Amino acid sequence: MNFESKSLDLAAAAQEKCDLLVVLIPKDFKAGKDSFSQLVHAALKSGDLETSAGKCLSLYRPAQAAAVRVVLASTGEGKARQIRSAVQAALGAGKSSSLKRLVLCFATAASGEGLRAAMLTVADMTYAYTTSKSKPQPRSLQKMVLATPNAGDLKTTFDRTAAVVAGVELAKEWANRPANLATPTDLATAAQALGKLPKLSCTVLGPREVAKLGMGSFMAVAQGSDQPLRFIVLRYEGAAKNKAPTVLVGKGITFDSGGISIKPAAEMDEMKFDMAGAASVLGVFKSLALLKPAINVVGLIPSCENLINGKAVKPGDVVTSMSGQTIEILNTDAEGRLILCDALTYAERFKPSAVVDIATLTGACVVALGAVRSGMFSDRDELAQALSSAGDRAQDLCWRMPLDEDYAEGLKSNFADVANVAGRAAGAVTAAKFLQRFAEKFAWAHLDIAGSAWKGGAQKGATGRPVGLLVEYLLGPAQTK
Ligand code: BES
Ligand code: MN
Ligand code: ZN
């Protein structure tokens, strides 16, 4: 997606040539003397344009503008949510499928959150997946110009959001690909391509290296598939070598059949999205490559399939993780935690300032939070707070969940140090309690994105979340001038 920011008032924006001009109009709009403002004023005064957010009025080649089509869209009080619904309605009314050049204009000074909401919504609505179609219909939109009278003040938000969109779209692409076109080896190839960008590097470990590291838990999941596992290590070095990195760990199960504890057939196809955590890590590195911040970040992606061949791990098998802890695998469908625990142990070697894992980990998290907020777990208040507010700023929300020690009771095993599942109750929390045992040596947080990473039904597709949250967390709040 190609964004451009221009500092223009309404009169100047109306002179931009484009096939669609969307004008976002707040409730308290005051008309200037120019003919376009007068037109907006008349539309409001007559009641033909209502002032509640999402209400629109479409015009064709009005004399007051240079655009072919114009949509006036009300934004009410101008909150992010209202901007989102105004942009959705306007693009719906403006036949977004054949659009090439769009100018989106804020009739009065935009807020940072308003600008971000508009950019994210246009990008999301015009995104098109094409990889496995015989007649690809790519996004028609070639350029989106954001016109605001105060573009200069919003530069940081504009740049960050444009970079986030690039990361989100990479994450969507990989998460959307079917599992036969997104194997662990394919993911590793994608990571290696990213590794060629400035300040980035990538190394990939295969079955032999992983065995040598003693990742018995990760290997147990991978052994049921003919696809070889991959352990991907991405590095972004924007700061001095001695600056402790943040480590991101993304679950990269390219297909989750459940293993011997097999899943029901309905909607099993959606388990191609079980590498959405890994895809979000790839997306974050894409954003970092564009933004070039002065920080160090490591991305770790354990990737394999959870399948069922004759060698597949069986319920009751006990494996030894890289940490030395033994694990009784009571349910082979609780495989995410089994690959993440070894990646968390591997993260120790980077002496990280913090480790955040991102995983489509539990159906229970979908029940708890739905698609609105990702589940966030951390025993460090400062880290939890930073992730929460990053989610708020990015409009990519999360919600802190508990980690009381009593939740770990059910993970006790008679035959190993720990079991990989507890009972049905609080499934998202007991999964996090399992991971916590492997994250004692650093500040750690876990994001359960099972509900937020993709949409099912007619709109089936990856969301690219939580790339926005993670980028915002890594960069911290923008300096306001
Ligand atoms: N990948 C799934 C979690 C999942 C399920 C995400 C549905 C989104 C929608 C994970 O590997 C899994 O199967 N978890 C089990 C854990 C259970 C066996 C303790 C689950 O949630 O059912
Ligand atoms: Mn599973
Ligand atoms: Zn899974």
Side-chain angles (χ1 to χ4, degrees):
M1 179 74 171
N2 191 355
F3 292 107
E4 186 185 342
S5 160
K6 284 195 178 181
S7 197
L8 299 174
D9 64 8
L10 185 50
Q15 296 315 311
E16 289 280 307
K17 288 207 178 70
C18 55
D19 19 39
L20 176 63
L21 170 69
V22 172
V23 185
L24 299 177
I25 301 159
K27 219 166 112 187
D28 59 3
F29 172 78
K30 300 259 182 321
K33 292 210 166 62
D34 62 286
S35 63
F36 193 84
S37 308
Q38 290 300 321
L39 178 71
V40 174
H41 177 73
L44 286 166
K45 201 169 166 202
S46 65
D48 286 332
L49 176 62
E50 295 172 56
T51 55
S52 58
K55 297 290 184 192
C56 289
L57 182 62
S58 302
L59 319 167
Y60 186 68
R61 291 192 189 280
Q64 297 85 344
V68 179
R69 281 171 285 141
V70 176
V71 179
L72 309 180
S74 286
T75 59
E77 288 78 33
K79 297 198 188 92
R81 194 164 186 278
Q82 296 174 306
I83 304 258
R84 224 171 287 136
S85 74
V87 172
Q88 273 162 358
L91 286 195
K95 276 228 290 177
S96 61
S97 60
S98 59
L99 209 60
K100 286 209 171 57
R101 185 180 164 89
L102 166 69
V103 175
L104 195 138
C105 154
F106 287 78
T108 56
S111 64
E113 65 161 359
L115 180 75
R116 189 185 282 258
M119 291 171 74
L120 292 175
T121 307
V122 172
D124 196 53
M125 284 186 78
T126 59
Y127 168 84
Y129 171 82
T130 60
T131 307
S132 40
K133 304 260 195 170
S134 70
K135 295 181 187 67
Q137 292 184 295
R139 158 189 274 151
S140 65
L141 188 61
Q142 269 148 28
K143 176 152 257 178
M144 175 190 183
V145 176
L146 284 132
T148 66
N150 58 331
D153 307 337
L154 300 172
K155 188 175 180 336
T156 310
T157 304
F158 175 84
D159 290 343
R160 277 193 189 186
T161 310
V164 162
V165 166
V168 161
E169 293 190 351
L170 184 72
K172 282 184 179 180
E173 170 64 24
W174 279 101
N176 280 334
R177 283 195 193 187
N180 61 327
L181 303 179
T183 62
T185 306
D186 294 332
L187 280 190
T189 307
Q192 270 161 335
L194 275 175
K196 297 216 161 57
L197 298 171
K199 298 183 199 282
L200 268 77
S201 58
C202 176
T203 46
V204 176
L205 312 185
R208 259 180 298 121
E209 292 100 325
V210 162
K212 214 166 156 202
L213 285 163
M215 294 186 170
S217 185
F218 177 23
M219 285 159 60
V221 177
Q223 76 194 30
S225 162
D226 295 349
Q227 286 290 339
L229 66 77
R230 291 290 181 259
F231 189 83
I232 301 165
V233 184
L234 268 162
R235 302 196 72 153
Y236 169 80
E237 283 168 296
K241 280 218 175 348
N242 60 5
K243 191 165 179 219
T246 303
V247 178
L248 304 178
V249 181
K251 172 177 172 181
I253 294 290
T254 58
F255 189 77
D256 181 11
S257 71
I260 301 278
S261 315
I262 195 168
K263 288 184 180 293
E267 292 169 6
M268 205 206 272
D269 65 290
E270 293 187 15
M271 285 298 121
K272 73 171 184 177
F273 295 118
D274 212 17
M275 36 58 75
S280 77
V281 172
L282 296 180
V284 167
F285 278 81
K286 173 83 188 178
S287 302
L288 291 174
L290 295 167
L291 290 166
K292 304 182 183 66
I295 55 174
N296 292 330
V297 186
V298 174
L300 302 177
I301 298 175
S303 181
C304 66
E305 294 183 326
N306 187 21
L307 283 187
I308 329 180
N309 65 21
K311 292 183 215 142
V313 72
K314 304 167 293 298
D317 284 3
V318 173
V319 298
T320 303
S321 66
M322 186 179 172
S323 72
Q325 297 178 71
T326 60
I327 303 166
E328 185 183 15
I329 301 179
L330 288 173
N331 189 320
T332 64
D333 198 11
E335 85 297 339
R337 61 198 81 180
L338 294 174
I339 71 168
L340 291 169
C341 68
D342 281 340
L344 288 170
T345 302
Y346 187 86
E348 288 170 10
R349 67 185 55 204
F350 299 102
K351 302 194 171 38
S353 59
V355 178
V356 181
D357 75 70
I358 308 103
T360 48
L361 204 64
T362 65
C365 193
V366 189
V367 175
L369 297 173
V372 181
R373 288 181 186 258
S374 305
M376 185 262 287
F377 301 78
S378 183
D379 48 10
R380 306 281 181 119
D381 290 343
E382 205 181 315
L383 177 54
Q385 186 50 49
L387 288 165
S388 265
S389 52
D392 292 348
R393 292 198 305 275
Q395 300 171 31
D396 183 358
L397 304 174
C398 66
W399 191 259
R400 191 175 182 183
M401 303 277 279
L403 281 169
D404 303 276
E405 207 41 47
D406 286 348
Y407 283 112
E409 274 307 300
L411 292 171
K412 289 192 172 139
S413 161
N414 291 345
F415 305 105
D417 301 344
V418 65
N420 79 326
V421 289
R424 263 171 55 82
V429 188
T430 56
K433 288 305 288 181
F434 177 92
L435 293 177
Q436 190 183 24
R437 299 173 61 98
F438 301 86
E440 280 173 348
K441 301 210 170 114
F442 39 70
W444 160 81
H446 157 60
L447 292 170
D448 192 332
I449 58 166
S452 55
W454 78 87
K455 294 180 189 152
Q459 305 285 318
K460 195 189 290 180
T463 61
R465 289 174 69 184
V467 171
L469 181 159
L470 292 167
V471 170
E472 203 56 40
Y473 162 69
L474 291 169
L475 267 57
Q479 248 70 59
T480 43
K481 359 176 211 181

